[in-house]
Amino acid sequence: MKFGHFDDQNREYVITTPKTPYPWINYLGSESFFGLVSHQAGGYCFFRDAKLRRLTRYRYNNVPTDSGGRYFYISEGKDYWSPSYMPVKRELESFECRHGLGYSKITGKRGGLKAELLFFVPLGHTAEVHQVTLTNESSAKKSFKLFSFAEWCLWNAQDDSANFQRNFSTGEVEIDGSTLYHKTEYRERRDHYALYHVNAPIAGFDTDRETFFGLYNGFGEPDVVAAGESKNSVASGWSPIASHCLVVELAPGETKTFVFTLGYVEVPRDQKWEKPGVINKQPAKKLIEAFSTPAQVTAALAKLREHWNGLLGLYALSSKDEKLNRMVNIWNPYQCMVTFNMSRSASYFESGIGRGMGFRDSNQDLLGFVHLVPERARERIIDIASTQFADGSAYHQYQPLTKRGNNDIGSGFNDDPLWLILGVAGYIKETGDWGILDEQVPFDNDENNKATLLEHCKRSFDHVLNNLGPHGLPLIGRADWNDCLNLNCFSETPDESYQTTGNRVGRTAESVFIAGMFVHIGPEYAALCQKKGQADEAKRALGEVKKMEETVLRDGWDGEWFLRAYDFFGKKVGSRECPPGDAQILIEPQGFCVMGGIGVETGQAKQALDAVKERLDTRYGIVLNNPPYAEYHVELGEISSYPPGYKENAGIFCHNNPWIMIAETVIGRGDRAFEYYKKIAPAYLEEISEIHRTEPYVYSQMIAGKDAVNHGEAKNSWLTGTAAWNFVAASQYLLGVRPEFEGLSVKPCIGTEIPEFTVTRKCRGATYNIKVKNVRGNGDVKLTVDGKAISGNLVPYAAAGAVVNVECEA
Ligand code: BGC
């Protein structure tokens, strides 16, 4: 069942009912000011850091779900309603929400009055613009009141949700005409405040929540709206809000537009006050002036569209499969950008107060957005590498505001270091910026202890070699990619973290997955060294890779597939020998070992992928393991804590499915790779939205596996490495256009279901028009570049500004 449709022309998803199977959200902002907005106008906004600079309040896990947001209420006679349906839930004559790239437009109609709410964050500004357009579509004159509503968060979202003995006494506001200021804590250490403004005279306002709603009322029944009159309340302590009241009259057919600005400003410490107790409003006024007319809003929205046109033009696919087109051209890159901006901080599943930026996560995300914003990718790499320790290990997470490693979680996730090499290599392939390797980058942010970025990569590489276990396989540490495979944890006490509790500091538990990564990523490190004139080091690296490959085939091969690990006691994890209540095969090493080329020549790669098909594939995607762990295993950790079919215990983890897609292309099975792609790509799941439940335009982290009660139900949409990896799989391996160090590789491997397609790829300033005829679909290609046949699959990089025409028979 569908709850809307794609509008590819406008790059929007159009939701046509408020009653979607779950709140379907969008993101506003791509610089420093961000907002989350659901199709019912739920959500919140923040400046840079969702934990430390939260502007508006949102209560997670609430009843009903998704209550709280930027709400508009229309009060007409005895009737009052919201154009976004929530929170009043009065039936509407029509409803539509268009989620576009960086903006959302919600339109509701009742009693012949149409109200369109447009939300976006204009480029270059630290504010959300809410434009409300009201049209009288009835035949009678209308006079009504429009109320706005936003609830301030007292900046630190964690403190805001817990420290009531203090917070109920700190709230402070100022009112200046049509601008309502939130200045809690400004009197002491904060040099910033927030404001909510409307570009018209107001009939009244409220800033005290209790006065606005009435103590025992919810969002859907504010006293003020029901009475049709603001009470001009001035908050003092308790919970400050911002609500304007506008009196509106509309002749039949008439339209009026109001522009609201919800913004954040910082003031230099020595200029904080206009006079004692009165905040300096100069910076706020500048912001307000930028959006005082609808024409300014239209111009800012056009600029935002332009911005996205530019970004999405960098990789453009034209094929007969409109679902594939919309994933590759619009929604997957869009999700990659959002993931870049948010990491794993703020979504409807991530509370914005939990994690910082992941070392592993950020490096992987980079693979999906590096072609969109290479200069920001460069900055991100330096930030990430600056948190690395001198021995090559890494803080698992760092805080975006301070860019410092997060001590609570610390280090010891032994796959982390290798991801840095992958990120750096991906960046150089895209840009040709070899100079980044010479950048002096600190270890653990210590300016007195710096080395080149290439040296950081060496430390990453060597960290694996310095931490090998009894079989010569890499030690897993706290966990590897699978944060929930905690082989040294042995947690028996509720409430302790599986991942950071390590009461066995043995050097025995080994990961075949990290070995596969090492074999896949090691040659990239060797290529970096080679280019930098370190031929001996490159040779050494390739020698170690070769050795690891042999080790995997000797001690990491289970007979029909790759083993997952050896546990603390040296017992096999993910083996045919495991009992039926335990996982016998896990997905991760099958993907990464084959991506690294292990067993491709000798047949194990094909065998492993056949085993994936047989044991892990389902109608909704590939599960992480099979069978699921039936019981909790203290020696395995969190993986066995989940009920069968959920999360890392045999859920369909959409993050690692693309590894299998890529692995299938490594052995030339394009048809199977595409089959897997379609199973989890959201555009292909639109028709089963009632089962899938999360947004049909973005990936979710997890879909419940075949052993779960609700097989096919997705959770944790938006902020997941799934976005980057699926984009990499689709654009670089299935469609096969991939930047390499010395040229653009063109090697489609997508089967024959799509007989032909065209990709326009901009890379290093040149444009490549690539026309593909798919006759084999197995990665075996014949290329013609500007009319001349070439051997191999590498199109040499052209000068910036050049246009290169490539014909490909695949
Ligand atoms: C984390 C990833 C991890 C994955 C699998 C996600 O929640 O962000 O870093 O690889 O779970 O455990």
Side-chain angles (χ1 to χ4, degrees), residues 344 355 360-361 481-484 648 653 655 701:
R344 305 293 176 270
R355 349 191 198 175
R360 168 205 302 140
D361 294 341
W481 171 85
N482 191 334
D483 278 331
C484 301
E648 281 87 344
F653 230 79
H655 186 144
Q701 180 203 53

Side-chain angles (χ1 to χ4, degrees), residues 433-687:
D433 175 13
W434 290 94
I436 194 174
L437 292 175
D438 303 323
E439 288 284 335
Q440 288 287 327
V441 182
F443 291 106
D444 192 11
N445 279 293
D446 176 359
E447 288 300 314
N448 299 316
N449 187 9
K450 287 182 164 184
T452 62
L453 184 61
L454 181 60
E455 177 64 23
H456 277 258
C457 292
K458 177 172 188 296
R459 307 267 175 115
S460 290
F461 185 80
D462 283 343
H463 186 265
V464 176
L465 296 175
N466 293 336
N467 292 281
L468 298 177
H471 299 90
L473 291 163
L475 293 172
I476 195 168
R478 295 192 186 283
D480 60 21
W481 171 85
N482 191 334
D483 278 331
C484 301
L485 192 61
N486 315 119
L487 304 182
N488 293 301
C489 161
F490 291 77
S491 176
E492 284 180 300
T493 311
D495 304 324
E496 66 189 16
S497 154
Y498 293 103
Q499 292 167 23
T500 55
T501 305
N503 42 15
R504 305 273 169 118
V505 202
R507 289 180 67 86
T508 44
E510 299 168 292
S511 161
V512 178
F513 170 76
I514 301 182
M517 273 184 90
F518 185 81
V519 175
H520 180 55
I521 295 171
E524 307 278 31
Y525 169 63
L528 303 183
C529 296
Q530 190 70 38
K531 180 76 179 186
K532 282 296 184 186
Q534 300 185 14
D536 288 349
E537 174 64 0
K539 206 167 141 211
R540 174 187 78 100
L542 291 177
E544 295 293 353
V545 166
K546 182 98 198 35
K547 237 170 41 200
M548 187 67 80
E549 194 173 347
E550 288 160 9
T551 307
V552 171
L553 286 175
R554 189 187 61 232
D555 286 321
W557 178 249
D558 194 50
E560 285 176 68
W561 53 80
F562 294 99
L563 263 184
R564 179 63 177 86
Y566 287 95
D567 72 12
F568 179 82
F569 305 105
K571 251 178 63 196
K572 292 177 180 173
V573 179
S575 163
R576 292 177 300 182
E577 295 161 22
C578 297
D582 288 359
Q584 295 170 333
I585 171 172
L586 290 94
I587 192 171
E588 304 98 321
Q590 322 312 327
F592 253 80
C593 289
V594 179
M595 283 161 71
I598 305 177
V600 171
E601 301 288 304
T602 42
Q604 291 92 337
K606 182 173 170 300
Q607 251 185 308
L609 293 177
D610 286 346
V612 167
K613 179 77 190 155
E614 192 190 318
R615 300 192 169 231
L616 301 180
D617 187 32
T618 76
R619 60 193 294 210
Y620 298 125
I622 312 167
V623 295
L624 195 147
N625 52 291
N626 185 258
Y629 288 102
E631 284 164 21
Y632 177 58
H633 287 263
V634 74
E635 76 285 8
L636 300 179
E638 189 171 353
I639 188 170
S640 59
S641 75
Y642 291 107
Y646 291 108
K647 292 274 288 171
E648 281 87 344
N649 190 14
I652 297 158
F653 230 79
C654 300
H655 186 144
N656 52 38
N657 277 224
W659 299 343
I660 299 298
M661 297 168 205
I662 297 172
E664 287 288 358
T665 69
V666 170
I667 62 163
R669 294 199 299 208
D671 44 0
R672 185 162 293 171
F674 192 41
E675 179 194 328
Y676 287 143
Y677 176 80
K678 288 184 294 185
K679 282 192 176 171
I680 61 163
Y684 293 87
L685 308 178
E686 191 192 11
E687 302 281 350

Side-chain angles (χ1 to χ4, degrees), residues 315-335:
Y315 192 117
L317 166 71
S318 162
S319 82
K320 289 223 171 68
D321 185 335
E322 59 171 16
K323 294 176 180 158
L324 181 61
N325 294 347
R326 65 173 65 115
M327 283 316 310
V328 171
N329 292 337
I330 307 170
W331 293 100
N332 198 174
Y334 181 56
Q335 187 178 1

Side-chain angles (χ1 to χ4, degrees), residues 61-239:
N61 202 1
N62 209 344
V63 178
T65 192
D66 194 26
S67 38
R70 317 109 181 118
Y71 289 140
F72 289 93
Y73 302 87
I74 289 168
S75 156
E76 192 179 5
K78 286 202 164 31
D79 187 35
Y80 67 90
W81 56 286
S82 285
S84 53
Y85 181 70
M86 281 288 270
V88 181
K89 295 203 277 186
R90 211 82 80 208
E91 286 309 316
L92 300 171
E93 283 151 24
S94 67
F95 171 88
E96 183 185 89
C97 167
R98 290 180 170 260
H99 283 319
L101 306 185
Y103 67 89
S104 290
K105 214 186 270 179
I106 303 173
T107 311
K109 186 173 149 187
R110 183 173 163 92
L113 176 62
K114 191 171 98 183
E116 178 195 283
L117 317 175
L118 166 69
F119 301 95
F120 71 107
V121 173
L123 290 169
H125 292 275
T126 54
E128 278 183 7
V129 165
H130 308 161
Q131 179 172 269
V132 181
T133 306
L134 302 158
T135 305
N136 181 358
E137 293 190 342
S138 78
S139 52
K141 185 178 155 194
K142 280 198 171 283
S143 85
F144 57 93
K145 286 182 178 153
L146 172 72
F147 292 90
S148 67
F149 169 81
E151 182 179 8
W152 302 116
C153 178
L154 307 187
W155 305 113
N156 180 326
Q158 183 147 38
D159 189 74
D160 181 75
S161 64
N163 188 2
F164 306 114
Q165 62 82 24
R166 169 180 160 83
N167 293 340
F168 284 167
S169 295
T170 57
E172 285 194 294
V173 298
E174 257 181 65
I175 295 111
D176 181 28
S178 299
T179 317
L180 310 173
Y181 291 93
H182 174 225
K183 61 170 187 178
T184 301
E185 292 189 345
Y186 188 76
R187 61 167 58 246
E188 24 115 346
R189 294 158 300 173
R190 294 191 181 275
D191 305 330
H192 45 260
Y193 58 77
L195 58 119
Y196 199 25
H197 167 82
V198 58
N199 70 337
I202 54 175
F205 62 85
D206 277 287
T207 63
D208 176 59
R209 189 180 77 195
E210 192 175 320
T211 311
F212 182 74
F213 285 111
L215 184 56
Y216 294 106
N217 290 340
F219 288 110
E221 45 196 358
D223 272 354
V224 158
V225 176
E229 200 146 16
S230 292
K231 295 187 183 160
N232 298 342
S233 56
V234 180
S236 175
W238 294 110
S239 287

Side-chain angles (χ1 to χ4, degrees), residues 36-68:
L36 287 72
V37 61
S38 75
H39 70 295
Q40 302 176 330
Y44 61 95
C45 55
F46 59 93
F47 175 74
R48 275 193 208 284
D49 187 317
K51 176 177 170 185
L52 300 176
R53 291 281 191 288
R54 182 89 58 107
L55 264 78
T56 57
R57 188 173 280 160
Y58 190 73
R59 294 167 187 81
Y60 278 89
N61 202 1
N62 209 344
V63 178
T65 192
D66 194 26
S67 38

